[in-house]
């Protein structure tokens, strides 16, 4: 059954090798003063920065540089960006990078003119913006988060040991997004495969919830099959345009709000992964990979029918002569095998966690109630221990 919903995705998305040509026209819709936000320098090495800057100049923009957005952007960097945006009265924030840079740009857009502490308002109390919002646009260089077409913004508070996401409304989504699959060719393999797993995880967080017959779940299965197929090709040949373009498009659909419409969702893997991230600053996709198998094996009995469907529809597990439990477990084994093929990090020890940190990571883990089992504190600790 599809529940009630209102669907609106306001991001205008330009996809393909020619997508960067649309940047100038998009820029012309906004005022003269543009804040250019980017990460640690990859865009300068691969030439994307030079291309974007040329377009900004050709569009007659005054550019205010805001580099150095780190993976897992922090509240401290957010404050720095707000200062640049406010003091220069920017008309647009152009984020060039991956999820970290785009998430950060969204946070700056709602915080630059916020009279309260943005961390408390948005990431602790989950309130909606009441101040002026600066529009953002983006040029995506790393695939995985879906940040290019959603309202998600994940910020880390290192002092509080918390990494929390706020899902903002349509007014905070990027106004436009430029997606050229070729821009992702230079992403290092570790980041590339972490992004692939992030995509699968986003789909699973929405798929592994509820037991009704729901169109969104059929879409989710198609997206997962496409991802698994293309990921194997991209692993062998990272510059295979067909595979990388399919993955880029899959990532967008995995988390642009479509497949969550009219159904319940889980997101507990992300809560566990983000807690690990808050304590280790590890790569997002790897934190998810490291906790996923223990979590799914733990909740499998509570969502057996769906895990069975996942095994047969997505991993092609033959069902004949097997119990539902056997089918479901074989599905998870097939998923685990694929994860190992990609070279994902399969435990949190490798990400810097030691047993003495488990209780503190459990303290940082938010508990969701849309999955097959609402976790108790003891279960969170047990899953984290099993992830070591
Ligand atoms: O900083 P630079 O030098 O650009 O290097 C980056 C960074 O080190 C590099 N990179 C990106 N594009 C590249 C490239 N290197 C070479 N060539 C390119 N074309 O890749 C590294 C990782 O970048 P990052 O932006 O951190 O990765 P990702 O896109 O995975 O973003 C992760 C962040 O997004 C949040 C995560 O929690 C994390 O903070 N998420 C956002 C979501 C959302 N908005 O809905 C949902 C996700 O679940 C996720 O939580
Ligand atoms: Zn994610």
């Amino acid at each position: 059954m599809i529940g009630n919903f209102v669907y609106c995705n306001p991001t205008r998305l330009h996809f393909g090798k020619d997508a960067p040509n649309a940047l100038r026209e998009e820029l012309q819709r906004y005022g003269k003063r543009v804040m250019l936000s980017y990460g640690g320098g990859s865009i300068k090495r691969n030439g994307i920065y030079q291309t974007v800057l040329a377009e900004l100049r050709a569009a007659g923009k005054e550019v205010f540089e805001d580099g150095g957005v780190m993976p897992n952007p922090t509240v401290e960097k957010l404050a720095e960006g707000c200062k640049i945006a406010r003091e220069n009265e920017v008309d647009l924030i152009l984020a060039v990078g991956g999820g970290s840079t785009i998430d950060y740009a969204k946070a700056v857009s709602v915080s630059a003119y916020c009279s309260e502490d943005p961390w408390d308002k948005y990431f602790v109390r989950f309130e909606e913006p009441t101040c002026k919002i600066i529009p953002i646009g983006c040029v995506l260089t790393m695939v995985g988060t879906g940040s290019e077409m959603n309202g998600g913004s994940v910020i880390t508070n290192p002092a509080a040991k918390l990494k929390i996401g706020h899902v903002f409304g349509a007014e905070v989504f990027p106004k436009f997004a430029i997606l050229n699959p070729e821009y992702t060719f230079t992403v290092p393999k570790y980041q590339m495969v972490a992004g692939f797993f992030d995509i699968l995880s986003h789909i699973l967080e929405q798929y592994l919830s509820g037991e009704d017959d729901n169109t969104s779940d059929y879409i989710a299965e198609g997206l997962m099959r496409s991802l698994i197929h293309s990921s194997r090709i991209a692993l062998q040949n990272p510059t295979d345009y067909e595979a990388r373009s399919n993955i880029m498009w899959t990532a967008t659909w995995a988390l642009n709000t479509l497949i969550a419409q009219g159904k319940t969702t889980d997101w507990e893997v992300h809560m566990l992964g983000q807690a690990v991230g808050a304590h280790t600053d590890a790569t997002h996709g790897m934190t998810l990979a490291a906790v996923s198998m223990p979590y799914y094996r733990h909740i499998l009995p509570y969502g057996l029918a769906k895990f069975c469907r996942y095994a047969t529809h997505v991993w092609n597990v033959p069902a004949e002569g097997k119990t539902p439990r056997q089918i479901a477990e074989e599905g998870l084994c097939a998923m685990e095998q694929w994860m190992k093929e990609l070279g994902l990090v399969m435990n949190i020890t490798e990400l810097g966690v030691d047993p003495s940190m488990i209780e503190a990571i459990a303290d940082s883990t938010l508990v969701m109630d849309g999955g097959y089992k609402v976790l108790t504190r003891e279960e969170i600790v047990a899953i984290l221990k099993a992830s070591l």
Side-chain angles (χ1 to χ4, degrees), residues 23 43 49 51 87 91 147 165 175 208 232 255 258 299-300 329 338-339 376:
L23 185 54
I43 62 164
Y49 172 85
T51 304
E87 286 180 356
D91 301 304
S147 191
K175 302 290 179 213
L208 292 172
R232 289 184 162 133
L255 197 52
L258 177 88
I299 64 161
L300 180 143
E329 281 172 359
W338 171 76
M339 292 169 73
T376 62

Side-chain angles (χ1 to χ4, degrees), residues 38-43 45-46 48 68-73 96-103 106 140-148 150-156 163 165-167 182-188 191 194-195 198 202 255 267 270 274 282-285 288:
Y38 55 93
S42 70
I43 62 164
R45 293 189 292 279
N46 58 26
I48 298 171
V69 181
M70 63 291 282
N72 309 322
V96 183
S100 293
T101 302
I102 303 172
D103 280 18
K106 290 174 197 166
L140 187 67
T141 68
M142 148 93 202
V143 164
T145 65
S147 191
E148 65 275 13
N150 70 33
S153 172
V154 184
I155 297 295
T156 297
K163 179 179 181 185
H166 184 130
V167 181
E182 287 182 337
Y183 280 4
T184 68
F185 287 177
T186 54
V187 171
Q191 296 294 339
D198 195 18
H202 293 160
L255 197 52
W267 295 105
H270 271 66
Q274 283 171 206
T283 296
H284 172 65
L288 306 175

